[in-house]
Amino acid sequence: MRSIDGLNGIVGRVAALSLLVLIALVVWEVTLRYAFAAPTTWGNELISYIFAGYILLGGGYTLLHRDHVAMDIVYSNLRPRVQATLDVLTAGFVIIFCFVLLQQTSIMASEALERGQRAGTDWGPPLFPIYAVLATGALLILLQAIAKLLRDLHMALTGQPLLPGHSSTSEVVPTP
């Protein structure tokens, strides 16, 4: 679990740095489009691909730090053991979703590589690297979801964190 956490920590920080590249590309494209009336043929497409990679590669990091959007008005007031029990009960849905996402993006990446698929645009970049990044992100989210399930299961059964010193929402005493 520590390896998965560490891997998602590193990948999450790299994904965060890609946001700087994304911002620079957006500024570049907007400047060319509106100041010089000369947009690039590749700018918007590359921006979309980087953003998609950013979302999926950052997903495991976000799950690691429990930063996904949540409405936890009731949940945050529950005891850690009850929170963990609820998380265990819902983990199956997350894991199934991540597994299907991994399966489908892997199929897309494999087909793109086998067929030499390219985007049907003027720029026409190869699609395999893009789909491979999406599959990698799906795998990282799936691994983090499994690690989270194991931690939550241990907390639900024992009332103690699996890895002392590791913080997750289900291991933090709620504030009144």
Side-chain angles (χ1 to χ4, degrees), residues 8-38:
N8 272 310
I10 291 167
V11 172
R13 286 188 281 285
V14 170
L17 289 174
S18 77
L19 192 56
L20 297 174
V21 173
L22 183 66
I23 291 168
L25 283 170
V26 169
V27 169
W28 175 260
E29 186 65 21
V30 167
T31 302
L32 288 177
R33 178 177 304 271
Y34 293 106
F36 302 105

Side-chain angles (χ1 to χ4, degrees), residues 62-96:
T62 304
L63 185 58
L64 170 64
H65 294 285
R66 301 202 40 123
D67 285 338
H68 286 285
V69 174
M71 294 183 60
D72 61 351
I73 295 169
V74 173
Y75 180 88
S76 64
N77 291 312
L78 299 174
R79 291 174 300 146
R81 196 168 185 175
V82 176
Q83 288 178 350
T85 302
L86 289 173
D87 288 346
V88 167
L89 295 174
T90 59
F93 297 109
V94 173
I95 290 172
I96 289 169

Side-chain angles (χ1 to χ4, degrees), residues 11-172:
V11 172
R13 286 188 281 285
V14 170
L17 289 174
S18 77
L19 192 56
L20 297 174
V21 173
L22 183 66
I23 291 168
L25 283 170
V26 169
V27 169
W28 175 260
E29 186 65 21
V30 167
T31 302
L32 288 177
R33 178 177 304 271
Y34 293 106
F36 302 105
T40 64
T41 57
W42 51 267
N44 283 335
E45 192 171 4
L46 182 58
I47 288 165
S48 297
Y49 295 145
I50 291 173
F51 188 64
Y54 166 76
I55 294 298
L56 278 179
L57 289 175
Y61 180 86
T62 304
L63 185 58
L64 170 64
H65 294 285
R66 301 202 40 123
D67 285 338
H68 286 285
V69 174
M71 294 183 60
D72 61 351
I73 295 169
V74 173
Y75 180 88
S76 64
N77 291 312
L78 299 174
R79 291 174 300 146
R81 196 168 185 175
V82 176
Q83 288 178 350
T85 302
L86 289 173
D87 288 346
V88 167
L89 295 174
T90 59
F93 297 109
V94 173
I95 290 172
I96 289 169
F97 173 79
C98 291
F99 179 77
V100 170
L101 182 63
L102 173 60
Q103 180 186 36
Q104 293 303 308
T105 54
S106 296
I107 289 169
M108 291 167 54
S110 176
E111 288 176 355
L113 181 62
E114 288 172 8
R115 297 177 184 165
Q117 289 178 338
R118 299 182 83 76
T121 61
D122 290 340
W123 180 37
L127 292 175
F128 170 73
I130 297 157
Y131 293 154
V133 166
L134 299 181
T136 301
L139 176 62
L140 291 171
I141 297 169
L142 176 62
L143 291 173
Q144 195 64 55
I146 292 168
K148 181 182 177 319
L149 171 62
L150 293 175
R151 283 189 183 99
D152 289 336
L153 190 57
H154 188 271
M155 173 61 88
L157 294 174
T158 68
Q160 299 297 316
L162 183 57
L163 298 173
H166 183 276
S167 65
S168 76
T169 301
S170 62
E171 297 167 3
V172 175

